[in-house]
Amino acid sequence: RGRERSRERSRERRRSPTGPLPGTCVVKLRGLPFAATHRDVKDFLHPALIAPDGLLLQSGPDGRATGEAVVLLASEADAARALKRDRAQMARRYVEVLAGSEEDLEHARKMASPTGRGSGGG
């Protein structure tokens, strides 16, 4: 599991920090306050518009927040707006906003399902 996470972070570093991956409207957030709500994330990413049911706050197997989220934005332009919030502050914490992929979104949805280990609350 440690190697898998290391490879994932390495892939994220190679992604362009200035724009979304071509053809995708997904971003990943890391470093969220553990008490962050859907409203908090929507306010943080404003004026970027989030697609309906497009916000998945991640939880671990124990049901506790991980401080990460996967967000499906309404358009590529909204994804670009969201990426401009990279390292902005939320509740005295800086939040990383990274370009995501459809694969990230599907994985988050799987983890949020009753058969997954975590929950997302999308």
Side-chain angles (χ1 to χ4, degrees):
R1 180 170 164 104
R3 287 182 188 176
E4 180 180 317
R5 183 165 224 157
S6 177
R7 278 191 294 248
E8 179 180 327
R9 287 189 177 165
S10 181
R11 268 183 282 162
E12 288 170 357
R13 280 188 221 113
R14 288 191 298 256
R15 294 178 182 166
S16 169
T18 58
L21 295 173
T24 188
C25 303
V26 178
V27 297
K28 293 174 61 173
L29 306 180
R30 189 166 43 208
L32 293 168
F34 296 124
T37 65
H38 283 77
R39 170 58 42 204
D40 294 332
V41 174
K42 287 178 183 181
D43 291 346
F44 176 77
L45 293 176
H46 183 79
L49 299 175
I50 298 172
D53 296 322
L55 174 54
L56 297 162
L57 290 170
Q58 302 295 284
S59 299
D62 59 0
R64 294 169 55 180
T66 63
E68 297 182 2
V70 177
V71 184
L72 175 63
L73 285 302
S75 69
E76 286 186 44
D78 286 311
R81 283 185 204 100
L83 287 168
K84 290 180 182 177
R85 299 288 295 153
D86 185 38
R87 300 192 189 272
Q89 296 281 318
M90 180 192 284
R92 290 190 256 160
R93 292 183 60 127
Y94 80 86
V95 177
E96 292 178 84
V97 182
L98 307 162
S101 67
E102 295 296 323
E103 182 179 276
D104 295 325
L105 184 63
E106 289 307 312
H107 179 72
R109 286 186 174 148
K110 177 182 170 190
M111 295 306 290
S113 74
T115 58
R117 292 186 314 229
S119 67

